[in-house]
Amino acid sequence: MKTYDIVIIGGGPAGLAAAVSVVKNGIRNVLILERDGELGGILNQCIHNGFGLHTFGEELTGPEYADRFIRQVKELDIPYKLNTMVMDISNERVVTALNREEGLFEIKAGAVILAMGCRERPRGALNIPGYRPAGIFSAGTAQRLVNIEGYLPGREVVILGSGDIGLIMARRMTLEGAKVKAVAELMPYSGGLKRNIVQCLDDFGIPLKLSHTVVDIKGKERVEGVTLAKVDEKGKPVPGTEEEYSCDTLLLSVGLIPENELSRDMGVKLNPVTSGPSVNESLETSIEGVFACGNVLHVHDLVDFVSQEAETAGRNAAHYILNQKENKDTIEKQQEITIISENGVRYTVPEKISPARMDEKLTIRFRVGGVFKNCYSSLYLNNDRILHKKRLIMAPGEMEQLMLTKEQLEKYSDLKKITIKIESSGVMSSEK
């Protein structure tokens, strides 16, 4: 059995950035395991631009952004195995994997970084009535067919769900000559970035029908049309609001799910809101020496944030290995304080913070559960509000973040709780 200091599961944007960070922080004995035939992950099929503004200060396409990190991996001579499926990870961090060259093999890892990404929610999770004709695709599958395989899935298209992939595919299908008749969204707000609504729908005159869903699919061999209906506050179709759309293709952009089967099987505690691992300020999961980053942790809207998060996970995994080597007895469990989400905040990453282990600065990322206008995102230590960030609008489709410093935490020797909440402009509180 081969032994590596750190094994990274996934060679997409998170895995690549984590690997580079590991090496730059002093650990050379690292290995990337990737199930696809090339590094880069989902970025390889995202040929539109808009990537890299935060990381590189310029707009790149997905493949260009991935290439920046692939080049670093190769320049640093970081080993990787392609076409390799990880089958299991034990609590002792023994990784069981499979590929054509080596068959089934095991690797012992000093630390593991989970970077498996996410997958699309399938039609089966939606309970849409009707037959199962050809012409129903997830938006990501359609993106791969158009951008990599060179096939056009259909000529007349309806899209269900206004996630970023669905919005981008509305524009892509239009540019390829298809007619996108409507984008329907179950919620009263879009799940995508505001800029994608403007650039992908408004600029092409594609209607966005909020609080609508598909209630019927017509056609047996091939999709012939769909029926859209307005929904009430509980998401139930309103009788009498049905609209018929003739089409040969239905694209589904109805949410992403972190790929956490491996995490669950090895006993990692998962957050019920994100479906990703619960992590502390080091992005370490409930199992010591196992870290998580990227879309396997929680679904991101910008790949730049994935890279930042992966850099943190790689650095902390490297520090974990170095500390283990120096003196295993010095590693002790420090007091951890749970971050409480209130008043519209759905979740935070990290969920727990140990002031003793924390870096000088910590970025806390979170999403809200609805649309909030003219408000503040606030952070409390005990009952004192120390951060109060003005926001004109906050929506579930866009990640929010607050920056907490170690200096702020050290002022509270009796710190019992950390709270993040959304407040209206009229809310007053004692500040310290």
Side-chain angles (χ1 to χ4, degrees), residues 72-124:
Q72 292 183 60
V73 165
K74 293 181 176 178
E75 287 168 1
L76 293 171
D77 200 25
I78 298 172
Y80 55 87
K81 294 180 184 290
L82 302 177
N83 297 305
T84 300
M85 177 67 77
V86 175
M87 310 300 291
D88 182 66
I89 309 171
S90 74
N91 282 341
E92 292 72 38
R93 300 188 289 278
V94 174
V95 179
T96 304
L98 177 71
N99 62 29
R100 291 180 180 178
E101 292 75 25
E102 300 166 85
L104 192 68
F105 61 95
E106 292 184 334
I107 297 170
K108 181 70 174 76
V112 172
I113 299 178
L114 305 173
M116 294 89 75
C118 60
R119 65 174 183 271
E120 294 180 279
R121 184 174 282 112
R123 175 189 172 173

Side-chain angles (χ1 to χ4, degrees), residues 335 337-340 342 379-384 409 412 414-419 421:
Q335 177 199 10
I337 301 167
T338 300
I339 301 176
I340 301 168
E342 289 184 354
L379 186 146
Y380 287 78
L381 297 182
N382 290 338
N383 295 318
D384 297 332
L409 287 177
Y412 291 80
D414 61 339
L415 185 60
K416 296 289 191 296
K417 65 177 182 177
I418 301 171
T419 307
K421 62 175 71 174

Side-chain angles (χ1 to χ4, degrees), residues 323-369:
N323 287 335
Q324 291 279 73
K325 286 182 175 179
E326 288 171 8
N327 187 352
K328 193 170 182 177
D329 295 332
T330 62
I331 306 288
E332 9 178 89
K333 286 290 182 184
Q334 304 284 350
Q335 177 199 10
E336 290 186 329
I337 301 167
T338 300
I339 301 176
I340 301 168
S341 302
E342 289 184 354
N343 290 17
V345 178
R346 293 186 65 232
Y347 71 86
T348 66
V349 172
E351 287 181 53
K352 296 180 179 180
I353 295 176
S354 169
R357 289 196 307 258
M358 187 181 128
D359 291 334
E360 292 304 315
K361 291 183 178 181
L362 175 68
T363 300
I364 301 174
R365 294 194 168 94
F366 63 94
R367 284 189 190 271
V368 295

